[in-house]
Amino acid sequence: MTLSVLVPSSLVREAEDKREATRKIGYVARAATVFRADRLVVFPDGEGERRWGGGFVEVVLRYAATPPHLRKEAWGRRDELEYAGVLPPLRVASRTGSGPERPGSLQEGIVTEVGPDGRVRVNCGLQHPISLLLPDGMEVSEGERVAIRISSREPVRARIVDEPLPGFEIRRTDLPEALARPDAGLRIATSRHGTALSVDGLADIVGRSDDMTVVFGAPGRGLPDILDVPVEVVADGGDTDVEPGPGFDLWLNTIPRQGSKTVRTEEAMFASLAPLTLTE
């Protein structure tokens, strides 16, 4: 299953200061980690942005997703990271191999030097950078991140592998482009105006596709407002519903008994991804 999670560039619009905005982005990264998202996409919502926009959100997310042992070398000092110390640790679970061809744990390293004969020096959290041989046909440059399989630390036995890095990748792209990906799978828009999630409905959703894309709005500015999708008031009881589109398979209310007027993006992520990632 490929799980893509999309959040707007306006997700910290209600934050009172940079510290609070940074902490909020950290919880978004935590949710993506807890539920094993493969991709975290920031899509533009320029009208909803206030003091901190998509560039700030992307930088803080990328920093949060960088393993602690690589952060200083990869990022140095940046204004966007002034309050990076408040970010909660992600503690991404190491991916272990299976079978004789994939022994050991998979973790991220950063290339510190490219040498001759296909060898590079890599910082991968050991006491010192280590020299490793690149797989046939693989090319890297200094500063590039690579996946390392470590089968032993004493003595060191490790190799560079051409595999996806642990954790999730971060992208900043337009919403239509993200929804049009071949691995988008079932495309879900989350909104309090959508169809209320039920046990029966969840069983149908879980079995519909191996891949899934879940899109969230911002506090006080949900997806209907961001996308200018009309909301019609239903006569009986004042309930509301959303017209289909644009580019979604389903509009879903994952908190049908919402007790707060506004659900923050990180709260919506935990509430939504928990049921949607259940297995059959």
Side-chain angles (χ1 to χ4, degrees), residues 221-272:
R221 185 171 168 82
L223 285 176
D225 291 330
I226 293 175
L227 303 176
D228 195 25
V229 175
V231 177
E232 296 183 352
V233 178
V234 180
D236 53 345
D239 293 332
T240 55
D241 199 5
V242 172
E243 294 291 333
F248 297 111
D249 300 304
L250 178 65
W251 285 84
L252 193 63
N253 178 4
T254 56
I255 314 175
R257 299 186 64 191
Q258 179 176 324
S260 174
K261 290 183 179 180
T262 301
V263 175
R264 297 176 179 179
T265 306
E266 67 274 21
E267 295 170 336
M269 288 177 67
F270 279 102
S272 304

Side-chain angles (χ1 to χ4, degrees), residues 140-217:
V140 298
S141 56
E142 186 174 329
E144 188 171 345
R145 299 177 189 181
V146 291
I148 310 289
R149 281 211 175 271
I150 299 178
S151 54
S152 172
R153 293 178 179 268
E154 293 184 6
V156 175
R157 293 192 180 93
R159 58 193 175 98
I160 298 174
V161 293
D162 190 8
E163 298 182 27
L165 294 170
F168 54 86
E169 64 171 320
I170 297 166
R171 296 190 178 183
R172 189 176 169 200
T173 186
D174 291 337
L175 182 59
E177 181 180 345
L179 294 176
R181 287 182 58 92
D183 60 355
L186 182 64
R187 299 162 298 181
I188 298 174
T190 60
S191 172
R192 63 188 178 91
H193 304 296
T195 302
L197 181 63
S198 64
V199 174
D200 292 338
L202 179 60
D204 178 61
I205 291 170
V206 171
R208 284 176 64 176
S209 175
D210 290 335
D211 303 320
M212 184 180 297
T213 297
V214 188
V215 187
F216 297 90

